[in-house]
Structure formats: structure tokens, C-alpha cells
Amino acid sequence: MNTELFSRSLNSVAILSRGNAVARREATAQNSRFVQVFEALSAAGIKARPAIYDESFAEEVREQLLAVDGVLVWVNPIQDGRDRASLDALLRDVAARGVWVSAHPDVILKMGTKEVLYRTRSMGWGSDTALYQSAEAMRAELPTRLATGPRVIKRNRGNGGQGVWKVEKLPTSPMIRVLDATKDASEELTLDDFLRRCAEYFESGSVIDQPFESRLSEGVVRCYMAGDRCAGFGHHKVKALVDSPAARAEAGPRLYTSSADPRFQRLRRLMEDEWTLQLTSLLDIARGDLPMIWDADFMLGPVQTDGRDSYVLGEINVSSVHPYPDEAPAEIARQVAERLRRKL
């Protein structure tokens, strides 16, 4: 171990992401996909180092993290068939030894899983959301909810649309129609067949059930947050869970804009002045423990009586938010600097 390389340095952070031994050996700030974050941190007077993680050299990573003041983590909950169980244990350990971790695994469990949709259903972004703790509960309750209209089923932890389904009752058949968010075409199944497909979701958590939002084809607005401040927006028309071929044809890449985008100023005010405060209160998260970069995906809900759009939360992403608007790294660096000042 090169102890000089990992010697303790004030105002220093590691940027942790998953990779193999070659990636770890060759990692630099300049060849990292987070190069803009490295540059913003450097401009703020913070020394930043890449930390490539894999379970096969976890102890080496642990020693690296113990030599810095903080670590910013970009690792998906599920990636290449691997989860974060070992990594989260490592991060809890280094955090207990005085290293600031963002996002801390305990914060991810509170706000970065689909269960947050159930726990915050009473907020202004909420909807008629149910939580199933077992396949038996889902079998008993889902048919009644399907009678009111299409529903969206989501596994508690996942990314990239994994474990997300649109489910609807067929008018003249006991079958149901299901559409996997990662697929283009729907299928007709029995409820029991669908429950068998969802059985593995209950092995590691619960399942969330939300109403399908009819305005989904109009697009999804992603609000990027650095701590409790808005760091920009992304907007795109989506294919996932959209049945109409015409609407699917309009889908395109996410387009990023700054926090000053006039289209989203009402959403920005709601996030900064109301909803983030309510979120931290409901979930018992200290302001300083909010992730340095996280995002909230919003669908358009019913038009309000005053003619304004309402917003319905579809997901909060915490584990690995990337890419992000060009303005986000500067806000991340500002938040990191503030957090390190409080720590030191």
C-alpha cells in the first residue's frame, strides 16, 4: 500500500464509482466521466481523487476512503447483476470512522427507493399510492385498484426501468394487460402469472403501486437538486409505459437546462421552498445529510382549477445521478465546500 498516496489531507474527497482493476489503476480526474465535478471541486479549493470500487479489492478502497474527509458515491443499486450490499457496508464503516459519505446508505434507504412514493403520498406531489409487503397482499388488493383504472407497479429498488410495469384490467376478460417499462409491447397475462414475475421483488423489499398518469406522453421533468438547492432541469418525452405508437415516436433524449429555465420556475420554488423541507421532515433526514446530487422525476398531473399544471412524483434518484445539467457541478462543489466546513 502506498501510504503517501493515501495520507490524510484536509478538504479532500474521493469520487467513488464502480469499475475493474484496470479502471482503478488507470483512473485520473481527467479521464473520469465526472471530470466536470473534479474541476469544480478544484476551483473551490477541494482536492478530489477518483476511487474505483469493486468487491475484489474492497479493502484497498476502504483504506483510500479512510484517508480523505469525504466521499461522493456514484454506484447504481443494481448494475451488471450486482447490488450494493457489500459497498453499503463499507460506506457505513468509513462513515462511522469519521468520513463524510454522500449519499450515505441510510439516506438512500429513506429517499432513494420507491417506498418514498408511499411515505410522501400526502405531500403536494403525492398520488393514491399503495405499498405491498408480500405477494399475498398484492394479490388481495391489486384487483380492486385496477377497477379504478391502470396502475403502475414498481419494485422498491432498481434503475433504468427495471421492475416497473403498467398494469390494466381488460374490459371483457379475466386477464390483465401488462407493459414492462423496458419493453416496447404489452402482454396479456393472468394475475397469478404476473405475480409470479414479481415474486423476486419481495425477496429484497416491497412493491409500490401508483395510478398511471394519463399525461405521461407529454413528458417527464427531472429536477436536479444539490442538497436543498435546485441545480437544473431535464425534460424529455418518454417511451417507457407509453402505448401510443405516435406518442412513442415523439420520444427523444433528455434535454438539460439551468435552474433559471422559465418553464420550471414554479417547480423550482416548490422544491426549494416547500417540498424538500417536507421530505426531510417526513423522512427524518437532516438538511446536511441531503445528497450532494439527487433528482426527482415528475409527471404532469391533472390541470388545477387555476389552469396551472400539477406535478406527480414518479421517482427519486440518489445512488448514481449522471448525467446532469452543465451548471450542476458548480452547485455540487459549493454544497461540498459548505459541508466540509461544517465537518472541519
Side-chain angles (χ1 to χ4, degrees):
M1 177 69 63
N2 185 337
T3 55
E4 181 180 355
L5 176 63
F6 296 150
S7 61
R8 186 75 176 183
S9 173
L10 297 180
N11 269 356
S12 61
V13 298
I15 293 181
L16 187 148
S17 57
R18 187 180 278 283
N20 59 26
V22 174
R24 179 170 176 80
R25 185 169 59 249
E26 298 179 353
T28 67
Q30 290 71 36
N31 66 18
S32 170
R33 62 188 175 124
F34 307 110
V35 60
Q36 291 178 310
V37 178
F38 279 106
E39 292 172 348
L41 291 169
S42 178
I46 300 167
K47 298 177 182 179
R49 307 164 178 169
I52 303 301
Y53 169 83
D54 185 80
E55 287 80 359
S56 62
F57 43 79
E59 288 307 309
E60 183 178 346
V61 178
R62 183 194 307 273
E63 292 302 314
Q64 180 180 5
L65 300 187
L66 289 173
V68 295
D69 295 302
V71 52
L72 305 179
V73 184
W74 271 274
V75 176
N76 285 319
I78 300 173
Q79 184 173 328
D80 300 326
R82 293 172 293 182
D83 62 24
R84 286 184 43 139
S86 296
L87 173 61
D88 286 346
L90 184 154
L91 294 173
R92 287 188 175 95
D93 177 60
V94 299
R97 296 168 183 251
V99 179
W100 166 63
V101 174
S102 183
H104 191 286
D106 294 344
V107 173
I108 293 175
L109 287 177
K110 289 181 178 181
M111 64 182 290
T113 66
K114 303 301 189 299
E115 192 168 325
V116 72
L117 302 172
Y118 178 76
R119 297 186 64 186
T120 65
R121 66 194 184 282
S122 63
M123 287 176 49
W125 67 27
S127 61
D128 174 27
T129 304
L131 180 146
Y132 304 129
Q133 298 281 14
S134 66
E136 291 73 22
M138 188 169 164
R139 178 182 287 105
E141 299 174 32
L142 179 57
T144 300
R145 293 190 172 94
L146 285 175
T148 66
R151 308 289 295 187
V152 177
I153 299 299
K154 302 177 179 182
R155 68 181 301 170
N156 194 34
R157 299 199 74 171
N159 53 279
Q162 299 175 80
V164 178
W165 304 78
K166 178 184 178 184
V167 184
E168 55 189 322
K169 184 178 182 296
L170 294 173
T172 59
S173 169
M175 308 281 277
I176 57 174
R177 179 180 290 119
V178 302
L179 175 60
D180 183 335
T182 66
K183 303 289 179 59
D184 293 336
S186 60
E187 305 173 72
E188 294 184 7
L189 303 172
T190 66
L191 178 60
D192 283 342
D193 284 340
F194 178 61
L195 288 168
R196 278 189 282 272
R197 294 194 184 185
C198 298
E200 66 177 291
Y201 305 161
F202 294 102
E203 296 173 4
S204 57
S206 55
V207 166
I208 301 300
D209 175 353
Q210 283 186 298
F212 175 77
E213 296 298 331
S214 61
R215 299 180 67 189
L216 177 63
S217 61
E218 296 180 44
V220 172
V221 181
R222 175 167 287 183
C223 180
Y224 293 86
M225 301 291 290
D228 59 1
R229 297 292 94 186
C230 179
F233 295 95
H235 179 267
H236 73 306
K237 297 286 188 72
V238 299
K239 285 185 177 181
L241 304 186
V242 174
D243 289 308
S244 164
R248 291 175 62 83
E250 294 179 355
R254 183 176 291 112
L255 302 177
Y256 299 94
T257 60
S258 77
S259 61
D261 189 321
R263 295 175 296 170
F264 307 125
Q265 289 310 291
R266 178 168 170 267
L267 180 56
R268 177 184 180 178
R269 289 192 295 272
L270 286 168
M271 284 296 291
E272 291 188 340
D273 300 340
E274 297 182 30
W275 287 346
T276 301
L277 295 173
Q278 294 171 15
L279 173 73
T280 54
S281 177
L282 277 171
L283 303 186
D284 191 25
I285 298 172
R287 173 181 172 273
D289 290 338
L290 281 167
M292 293 298 96
I293 184 68
W294 58 284
D295 68 58
D297 281 349
F298 292 99
M299 301 163 287
L300 293 175
V303 176
Q304 299 177 321
T305 54
D306 60 6
R308 296 184 300 180
D309 286 322
S310 61
Y311 295 98
V312 178
L313 181 68
E315 183 175 41
I316 289 179
N317 298 294
V318 176
S319 301
S320 187
V321 176
H322 186 272
Y324 31 66
D326 290 341
E327 296 80 6
E331 186 61 32
I332 293 171
R334 191 185 73 78
Q335 294 280 340
V336 171
E338 179 184 332
R339 183 63 180 81
L340 290 179
R341 280 194 296 271
R342 292 201 301 270
K343 177 179 185 291
L344 301 172

